[in-house]
Amino acid sequence: MDELLQMLHHYRTARGRMASGFGDEADHTTSVAFGPLLGELPPWHGLDPHSTRSAKGHPVTIASPMGFLPGRLRGLTGAGALVASDAKPGLGTRCVLRVDDGFDHTYLFPAVVSMVEDADAGCLALIFDGSSELAGTQELRGWPTAYPVARRRSRGTPPV
C-alpha cells in the first residue's frame, strides 16, 4: 500500500506543478509513466486499475466543513477516490482526503465532492484537486486517525 500511495503522491504533485505552469520534463515523465498505472479517469467510470486494487477497504479520513469524516476506500485512481462513508457532504464541497500508510506516513489529497449517491447509501466520489502533501503521522496530531497506526519499534525513548 505504501508504494501505491507514494506513486499517487508523486503523480498528483507532478500534475499539480504542470497545471500551474511550473512543471518540467521530470513532471511530464512522471505523469506519462504513472498515469496509465493509476488510471487517469475517476474510479466510478467502471475502471479498476490493477495497481490500485490493494487500496479497496483501506480506512481514510475526510476533512470537510462538516468536520472529520471516517470512511473506507471503495475505489482509487490518479484522478480521484470513491469513499464509503455515512456522511453526505454537498456537491462541490472542498475537502482533504487523509490516507495513512500504516507506518509513519500520511498522505493528504485535496479534493472536491463530485457525486453523492442516494441509491448506494454512504458512497461519495472525490475528484482530486491540486498537489498532494506528504506528512509524518506525528505532525497531524489534531486529525483523528482512521485506524490505530502501527508504530515501528525503536531503541530510543518514545516522544512525549
Side-chain angles (χ1 to χ4, degrees):
M1 183 67 178
D2 187 41
E3 293 82 12
L4 171 62
L5 292 172
Q6 287 177 15
M7 183 171 33
L8 182 59
H9 169 66
H10 290 301
Y11 176 74
R12 293 304 315 162
T13 302
R15 294 291 301 253
R17 282 193 296 257
M18 289 172 49
S20 66
F22 294 106
D24 58 11
E25 189 62 33
D27 292 325
H28 177 71
T29 301
T30 298
S31 179
V32 169
F34 291 164
L37 294 173
L38 293 168
E40 297 180 284
L41 293 175
W44 49 94
H45 282 280
L47 298 175
D48 188 15
H50 178 71
S51 63
T52 63
R53 288 183 191 157
S54 64
K56 286 189 175 180
H58 194 78
V60 297
T61 303
I62 301 167
S64 76
M66 296 171 59
F68 295 107
L69 315 172
R72 292 205 170 265
L73 287 174
R74 291 190 54 200
L76 179 69
T77 67
L82 193 60
V83 178
S85 177
D86 292 334
K88 301 262 185 183
L91 293 178
T93 301
R94 296 194 52 76
C95 59
V96 176
L97 178 70
R98 174 187 175 163
V99 185
D100 295 321
D101 69 358
F103 295 103
D104 58 355
H105 295 106
T106 295
Y107 296 86
L108 303 173
F109 299 98
V112 175
V113 176
S114 67
M115 180 177 68
V116 178
E117 290 188 7
D118 292 331
D120 188 12
C123 185
L124 65 119
L126 305 174
I127 291 182
F128 294 141
D129 182 27
S131 297
S132 64
E133 295 288 329
L134 173 63
T137 306
Q138 294 296 324
E139 297 172 37
L140 299 170
R141 292 184 187 196
W143 283 63
T145 56
Y147 61 96
V149 177
R151 302 281 184 218
R152 292 183 183 165
R153 296 190 186 267
S154 171
R155 295 181 189 191
T157 307
V160 178

